[in-house]
């Protein structure tokens, strides 16, 4: 029996269990309408939204920490914690004022000192933050609610930097916590967001719990992604970790959980047939799969080795491994950017369409590859990463590479990929991940396409030609200049293989029909959701 058949059989057995047909392990029943039981995409193994960029951490952080601005579904920044802002005529001085009455979960007021220290920590890790730091004169508190950010040259996309939804977001923490080295994880989880993190109920690998913060002051505007009022209608949100897809499907069918963030595509027909379950595309902007390589160490510090992988890689193999046989759920892309968006380009992407094992072997020979191990660190508790990892193991072997396959969990991948040591000394050669399409519409917040060496995302590509075009995009005077810069950027990223996109795909979410207010987006929007 193959994997897909087994999962469908197991999920079907879960449906029988609801009527007493089979014995299945059960979660505690009887959760009230004020408790949401949510199955997230992965285990919450660590909880510092600045230290790393895992979406599961960002999603949990959106409940606990608030941001100064919030991006809406039109990708426009809107005020969130901020009451007002002013920018000088020369564009060099930004002055911000907080909304009054904001509190942290420990009861302390949110002040400009907290904001300043939080922005200092965030800007040390975020690509847009690093751009601001490079042109910064000073970032200082003026009074309890006001702070000033003065620059050496204008930065027109300041509000977008503070509002963007991709990790790391500019979450505001108490000053004492924000003083933690940005390359060291925090150990205290106090924010001013709509939910408090219940630390004593956190069991990594099993459960994370959030309770409503009574003193949260939502904005009056209608909620729209991270903008507007984050009105929590639940007193308690329980994240139930279920890496096994069949178990999660059975729990949803049985009413033991309310909402499953990322149901496996193979199980969607079973879920759709259930009278009490709704299923829909989670995010119309989809995801871009990623084969991420370490540019610091052999073998992928050699451009021709990276090009060999890009030449041999067949996106269809990866996409079918993730989404199955539904061709409406995926498409190939000779690009790093989100298909169907205004700035999408395939300039320079011809190599991504070759799919030639013979040419890949030739490139490996030219590179002088001598059989060095390729340490593939692959999360097994995420359906997408596991599926891609299985394809990669066969791909690399087919072109003559020595595969050191490390099967692990997503939390370990998140920690290990931050290590710059050699693969044989606790480091890595490659890992799989994905990037939300909402993060990849342009270079402003697209962490993974940046190639600024030691300051780049994991893999640390150093490609000045890419960074030049990022700057050109930021400085573009009109859409024509933006498109031209995007084309050149894509070409440079392809030629130097910043990473290898494995294709564009859509994913589902599923929830019980007694849950209302579920919307689509690049992250689960839990505010405004209720349960009958």
């Amino acid at each position: 029996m193959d994997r897909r058949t087994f999962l469908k059989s197991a999920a079907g057995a879960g449906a029988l269990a609801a009527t007493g047909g089979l014995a299945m392990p059960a979660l505690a029943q009887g959760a009230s309408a004020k408790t949401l039981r949510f199955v997230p995409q992965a285990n919450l193994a660590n909880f510092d939204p600045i230290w790393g960029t895992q979406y599961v951490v960002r999603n949990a952080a959106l409940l606990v920490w608030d941001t100064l601005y919030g991006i809406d579904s039109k990708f426009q920044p809107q005020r969130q914690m901020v009451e007002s802002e002013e920018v000088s005529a020369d564009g060099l001085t930004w002055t911000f004022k907080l909304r009054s009455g904001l509190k942290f979960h420990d009861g302390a007021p949110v002040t400009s000192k907290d904001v300043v220290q939080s922005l200092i920590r965030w800007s040390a890790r975020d690509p847009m933050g690093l751009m601001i730091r490079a042109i910064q004169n000073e970032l200082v508190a003026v009074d309890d609610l006001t702070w000033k950010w003065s620059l050496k040259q204008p930065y027109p996309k300041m509000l977008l930097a503070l509002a963007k939804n991709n990790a790391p977001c500019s979450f505001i923490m108490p000053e004492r916590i924000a003083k933690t080295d940005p390359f060291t994880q925090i150990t205290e989880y106090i924010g001013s967001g709509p939910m408090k993190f219940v630390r004593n109920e956190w069991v990594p690998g099993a459960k994370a719990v959030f309770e409503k913060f009574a003193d949260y002051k939502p904005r009056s505007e209608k909620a729209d992604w991270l903008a507007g009022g984050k009105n929590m209608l639940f007193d308690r949100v329980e994240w139930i970790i279920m890496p096994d897809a069949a178990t999660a499907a059975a729990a949803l069918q049985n009413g033991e959980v309310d909402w499953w963030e990322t149901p496996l595509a193979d199980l969607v027909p079973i879920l759709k047939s259930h009278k009490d379950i709704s299923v829909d595309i989670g995010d119309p902007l989809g995801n871009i799969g990623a084969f991420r390589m370490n540019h610091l160490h052999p073998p992928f510090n050699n451009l021709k080795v990276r090009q060999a992988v890009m030449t041999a890689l067949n996106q269809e193999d990866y996409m079918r491994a993730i989404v199955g046989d539904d061709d409406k759920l995926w498409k190939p892309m000779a690009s790093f950017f989100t298909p169907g968006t205004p700035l999408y380009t395939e300039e320079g992407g011809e190599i991504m369409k070759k799919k030639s094992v013979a040419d890949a072997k030739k490139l490996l020979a030219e590179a002088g590859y001598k059989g060095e191990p390729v340490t593939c660190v692959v999360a097994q508790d995420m359906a997408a990463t596991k599926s891609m990892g299985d394809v990669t193991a066969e791909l690399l072997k087919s072109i003559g590479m020595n595969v050191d396959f490390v099967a692990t969990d997503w939390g370990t991948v998140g920690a290990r990929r931050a290590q710059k040591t050699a693969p044989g000394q606790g480091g890595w050669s490659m890992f799989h991940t994905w990037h939300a399409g909402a993060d990849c519409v342009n270079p402003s917040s697209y962490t993974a396409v940046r190639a600024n060496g030691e300051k780049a995302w994991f893999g640390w590509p150093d490609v000045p030609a890419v960074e030049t075009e990022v700057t050109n995009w930021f400085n573009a005077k009109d859409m024509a200049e933006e498109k031209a810069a995007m084309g050149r950027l894509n070409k440079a990223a392809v030629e130097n293989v910043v990473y290898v996109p494995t294709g564009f795909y859509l994913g589902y979410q599923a929830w019980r029909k007694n849950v209302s207010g579920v919307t689509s987006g690049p992250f689960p929007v839990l505010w405004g959701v209720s349960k009958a």
Side-chain angles (χ1 to χ4, degrees):
M1 183 182 292
D2 63 27
R3 178 179 68 95
R4 289 197 156 92
T5 304
F6 174 78
L7 285 171
K8 290 175 183 177
S9 299
L16 289 174
T19 61
L22 288 174
M24 294 283 288
L27 299 171
Q29 297 282 353
S32 75
K34 288 296 185 178
T35 297
L36 178 74
R37 307 198 79 178
F38 178 79
V39 181
Q41 58 183 246
N43 174 35
L44 186 66
N46 66 77
F47 197 24
D48 185 337
I50 304 301
W51 176 82
T53 58
Q54 290 180 311
Y55 286 134
V56 66
V57 177
R58 186 274 314 270
N59 295 348
L62 291 174
L63 298 174
V64 175
W65 289 280
D66 216 344
T67 52
L68 300 171
Y69 294 82
I71 205 77
D72 65 18
S73 58
K74 296 180 177 62
F75 296 99
Q76 297 301 310
Q78 306 292 345
R79 293 170 183 162
Q80 188 51 253
M81 297 175 74
V82 164
E83 178 181 290
S84 64
E85 71 285 323
E86 294 180 5
V87 59
S88 59
D90 59 9
L92 297 181
T93 302
W94 290 80
T95 304
F96 303 88
K97 185 177 181 180
L98 281 170
R99 288 194 287 146
S100 61
L102 300 181
K103 292 182 182 180
F104 286 115
H105 298 156
D106 60 2
V110 180
T111 71
S112 57
K113 288 184 179 180
D114 302 305
V115 172
V116 166
Q117 191 61 49
S118 295
L119 292 177
I120 289 172
R121 188 169 192 260
W122 163 79
S123 64
R125 299 300 304 262
D126 181 76
M128 295 186 80
L130 287 167
M131 294 178 75
I132 299 170
R133 284 170 74 105
I135 58 172
Q136 173 181 307
N137 275 323
E138 64 175 356
L139 173 59
V140 294
V142 175
D143 58 37
D144 282 350
L145 296 180
T146 310
W147 72 98
K148 181 176 67 175
W149 211 338
S150 64
L151 310 173
K152 299 172 185 175
Q153 65 186 64
Y155 191 76
K157 291 183 171 61
M158 173 69 80
L159 300 187
L160 177 60
L162 299 178
K164 66 184 182 65
N165 60 271
N166 76 303
C169 304
S170 56
F171 292 115
I172 303 305
M173 304 177 176
E175 181 184 27
R176 69 181 188 279
I177 299 174
K179 284 183 176 180
T180 305
D181 185 301
F183 294 89
T184 301
Q185 291 188 46
I186 61 173
T187 57
E188 189 178 2
Y189 311 108
I190 302 295
S192 63
M195 303 292 282
K196 297 186 294 183
F197 186 57
V198 185
R199 176 67 180 271
N200 64 355
E201 292 192 53
W202 183 24
V203 183
K207 184 172 72 170
V209 177
F210 310 85
E211 290 182 346
K212 186 174 182 178
F213 179 38
D215 290 336
Y216 183 69
K217 292 181 61 176
R219 295 192 68 92
S220 59
E221 300 92 344
K222 182 180 178 181
D224 183 13
W225 283 13
L226 297 184
K230 299 177 184 177
N231 290 291
M232 292 301 306
L233 305 179
F234 294 104
D235 293 336
R236 182 178 170 93
V237 174
E238 298 179 357
W239 279 28
I240 310 300
I241 312 304
M242 291 186 171
D244 179 73
T247 301
L252 187 66
Q253 292 172 87
N254 297 346
E256 295 172 343
V257 297
D258 304 304
W259 185 355
W260 186 9
E261 183 185 357
T262 54
L264 199 65
D266 296 332
L267 301 181
V268 164
I270 293 173
L271 299 178
K272 283 184 174 180
S273 68
H274 198 289
K275 64 182 180 63
D276 295 323
I277 294 176
S278 295
V279 181
D280 200 0
I281 296 297
D283 180 7
L285 286 172
N287 305 281
I288 296 174
F291 185 123
R292 190 77 184 182
M293 289 174 277
N294 192 329
H295 290 232
L296 298 182
H297 300 288
F300 293 130
N301 63 338
N302 187 312
L303 174 58
K304 285 194 173 182
V305 177
R306 300 198 302 273
Q307 289 174 335
V309 171
M310 183 173 272
T311 299
L313 190 145
N314 184 350
Q315 291 182 347
E316 182 174 355
D317 294 339
Y318 285 85
M319 294 298 95
R320 293 204 181 282
I322 294 173
V323 304
D325 298 327
D326 190 343
D327 290 340
K328 292 180 293 186
L329 292 179
W330 73 277
K331 61 179 65 177
M333 50 186 294
S335 178
F336 287 84
F337 298 96
T338 306
T341 55
L343 293 174
Y344 181 74
T345 175
E346 293 191 352
E347 185 172 330
E350 291 76 17
I351 187 177
M352 297 172 71
K353 301 177 181 179
K354 284 185 176 181
K355 308 169 189 174
S356 172
V357 170
D359 288 346
K361 288 181 176 180
K362 182 179 178 182
L363 283 166
L364 274 187
E366 292 174 358
Y369 176 69
K370 302 296 185 183
E372 298 94 337
V374 180
T375 303
C376 304
V377 183
V378 180
Q380 303 295 293
D381 56 343
M382 302 274 288
T385 56
K386 182 184 185 305
S387 297
M388 287 191 285
D390 291 343
V391 175
T392 288
E394 296 306 313
L395 169 73
L396 297 181
K397 291 174 184 176
S398 75
I399 63 175
M401 300 195 82
N402 179 11
V403 176
D404 172 24
F405 195 90
V406 180
T408 185
D409 62 274
W410 186 232
T412 299
V413 172
R416 187 162 176 173
R417 68 186 184 180
Q419 302 299 316
K420 292 183 178 179
T421 52
Q425 299 170 11
W428 55 279
S429 300
M430 67 77 58
F431 67 89
H432 279 296
T433 188
W434 74 98
H435 307 296
D439 295 350
C440 307
V441 296
N442 62 52
S444 63
S445 57
Y446 192 173
T447 306
V449 82
R450 297 296 299 274
N452 47 344
E454 291 293 307
K455 295 179 181 178
W457 198 57
F458 309 118
W460 307 283
D462 188 356
V463 186
V466 166
E467 291 301 298
T468 295
E469 298 309 329
V470 170
T471 300
N472 288 339
W473 180 84
F474 270 95
N475 294 335
K477 298 180 179 63
D478 53 36
M479 180 62 79
E481 288 190 5
E482 286 193 29
K483 287 183 176 180
M486 288 280 285
R488 295 190 299 268
L489 195 165
N490 194 70
K491 185 174 185 291
V494 171
E495 289 177 346
N496 293 276
V497 195
V498 171
Y499 76 89
V500 184
T502 60
F504 172 85
Y505 65 98
L506 298 169
Y508 289 100
Q509 60 179 342
W511 64 98
R512 301 281 300 182
K513 287 183 177 178
N514 66 328
V515 176
S516 59
V518 175
T519 59
S520 63
F523 47 83
V525 179
L526 273 62
W527 40 90
V529 177
S530 61
K531 185 171 70 170

